[in-house]
């Protein structure tokens, strides 16, 4: 195409550009060809974004908090069920080692993996079938709730749970001639002065028993105020506690603060011979 020749003194006038067709914002494309999202400014409709009011707790945070509380509670219950369980001491039968209202921790793994209670241990046990004849565990929601509160150590144990000291294990012969004499285990007099309540006799009741295999002869440290194996001599079971009824070994007193202490195995039985069929009793 031949361009027109301009007269001298005239200037080229650019051709009018064709008007550009308006393109909706929603269809504008980016450099890579993708359609750009349209976001209205503050003058238009508000974007679909939720903003919490000042001071409000986000829902996700509330759910996380509830989940954390649930996990903590579940962990505590599992620990109480299988590892360490708190108990509130209801009576003075173990004074002065344990006092009414003390909170102790029972180690439920102490006799796991082939272990057995040993002489001098302080044990927590279920007395149903030995100290309590024909007692069945109550059922119902109310009883389950009370049991949960007791398991958490917030209330005293019920009447079926006892705490006593092991004096004889399966195979041992335990004897007493009554007031003024020490208890003997397998013919060896036992010096119990380290834990007996001041002024108490080792036993005012005479007895001579041989502990059956798999069972225990237990007594309280406050002998004058303890209903223990001696009180069930004439009953079925003879006052012996099955090892399978032992909940755990009492390890620590954790409350009140002024009575914090460990409840280690007494050395009073170190000189006693025989193993009771359980191997080394040290």
């Amino acid at each position: 195409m031949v361009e027109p020749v301009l007269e001298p003194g005239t200037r080229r006038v650019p051709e009018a550009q064709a008007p550009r067709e308006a393109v909706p914002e929603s269809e504008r494309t980016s450099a890579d060809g993708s359609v750009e999202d349209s976001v209205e400014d503050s003058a238009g409709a508000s974007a679909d974004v939720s903003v919490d009011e000042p001071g409000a707790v986000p829902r996700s945070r509330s759910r996380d908090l509830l989940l954390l509380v649930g996990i903590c509670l579940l962990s505590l219950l599992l620990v109480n069920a299988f590892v360490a369980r708190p108990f509130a001491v209801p009576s003075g039968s173990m004074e002065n080692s344990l006092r009414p209202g003390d909170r102790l921790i029972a180690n439920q793994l102490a006799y796991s993996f082939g272990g057995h209670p040993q002489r001098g241990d302080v044990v927590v046990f279920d007395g149903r079938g030995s100290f309590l004849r024909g007692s069945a565990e109550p059922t119902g929601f109310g009883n389950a709730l009370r049991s949960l509160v007791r398991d958490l150590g917030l209330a005293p144990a019920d009447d079926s749970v006892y705490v006593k000291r092991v004096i004889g294990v399966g195979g041992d012969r335990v004897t007493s001639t009554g007031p003024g004499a020490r208890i003997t285990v397998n013919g060896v007099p036992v010096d119990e002065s380290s834990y007996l309540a001041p002024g108490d006799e080792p036993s005012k009741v005479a007895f001579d028993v041989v502990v059956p295999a798999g069972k225990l002869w237990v007594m309280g440290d406050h002998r004058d105020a303890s209903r223990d194996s001696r009180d069930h001599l004439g009953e079925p079971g003879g006052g012996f506690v099955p090892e399978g009824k032992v909940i755990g070994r009492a390890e620590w007193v954790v409350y009140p603060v002024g009575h914090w202490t460990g409840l280690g195995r007494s050395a009073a039985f170190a000189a006693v011979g025989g193993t009771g069929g359980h191997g080394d009793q040290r």
Side-chain angles (χ1 to χ4, degrees):
M1 176 178 180
V2 179
E3 293 186 3
V5 179
L6 298 177
E7 294 291 338
T10 61
R11 292 184 304 172
R12 182 185 295 273
V13 178
E15 296 180 359
Q17 296 181 352
R20 297 179 62 184
E21 183 178 354
V23 178
E25 283 188 337
S26 60
E27 296 183 6
R28 292 177 183 173
T29 58
S30 60
D32 60 359
S34 60
V35 178
E36 296 178 348
D37 295 332
S38 68
V39 180
E40 295 182 2
D41 58 19
S42 59
S46 61
D48 188 16
V49 178
S50 62
V51 179
D52 292 330
E53 296 181 1
V57 178
R59 289 183 181 179
S60 60
R61 188 178 303 174
S62 299
R63 287 194 298 267
D64 290 346
L65 181 59
L66 290 175
L67 179 61
L68 179 60
V69 171
I71 291 174
C72 291
L73 181 58
L74 178 60
S75 300
L76 179 60
L77 292 176
L78 289 175
V79 168
N80 287 344
F82 301 108
V83 182
R85 185 173 170 183
F87 287 93
V89 178
S91 72
S93 67
M94 282 294 291
E95 291 182 312
N96 287 331
S97 301
L98 296 170
R99 301 167 185 169
D102 281 355
R103 262 60 171 182
L104 63 84
I105 298 295
N107 179 3
Q108 298 185 99
L109 297 180
Y111 307 123
S112 300
F113 312 109
H116 298 274
Q118 299 186 14
R119 307 179 193 105
D121 286 352
V122 177
V123 296
V124 178
F125 63 94
D126 184 347
R128 288 190 290 258
S130 57
F131 282 27
L132 297 173
R133 291 183 295 168
S135 296
E137 188 172 359
T139 58
F141 177 77
N143 288 306
L145 183 59
R146 284 190 290 272
S147 178
L148 175 61
V149 173
R150 287 192 296 266
D151 288 349
L152 294 175
L154 302 178
D158 62 21
D159 293 339
S160 69
V161 178
Y162 296 79
V163 55
K164 304 292 181 187
R165 190 178 299 273
V166 177
I167 305 300
V169 298
D172 285 346
R173 182 179 182 183
V174 186
T175 65
S176 171
T177 58
R182 293 180 179 180
I183 287 175
T184 66
V185 179
N186 298 337
V188 178
V190 179
D191 181 3
E192 300 182 277
S193 59
S194 62
Y195 55 76
L196 281 184
D200 278 13
E201 295 274 0
S203 179
K204 292 181 178 179
V205 177
F207 59 85
D208 186 345
V209 299
V210 175
V211 184
K215 296 192 176 181
L216 307 170
W217 179 268
V218 298
M219 300 173 71
D221 290 354
H222 190 358
R223 298 287 161 82
D224 290 348
S226 175
R227 291 184 56 83
D228 48 42
S229 290
R230 298 169 297 170
D231 294 279
H232 303 277
L233 280 167
E235 300 177 5
F240 302 111
V241 176
E243 288 188 18
K245 288 291 188 176
V246 174
I247 298 170
R249 182 174 66 205
E251 296 279 13
W252 309 279
V253 176
V254 296
Y255 180 86
V257 175
H259 200 200
W260 281 359
T261 186
L263 297 170
R265 180 177 299 136
S266 172
F269 299 85
V272 176
T275 65
H278 296 161
D280 193 349
Q281 286 287 303
R282 290 179 295 176

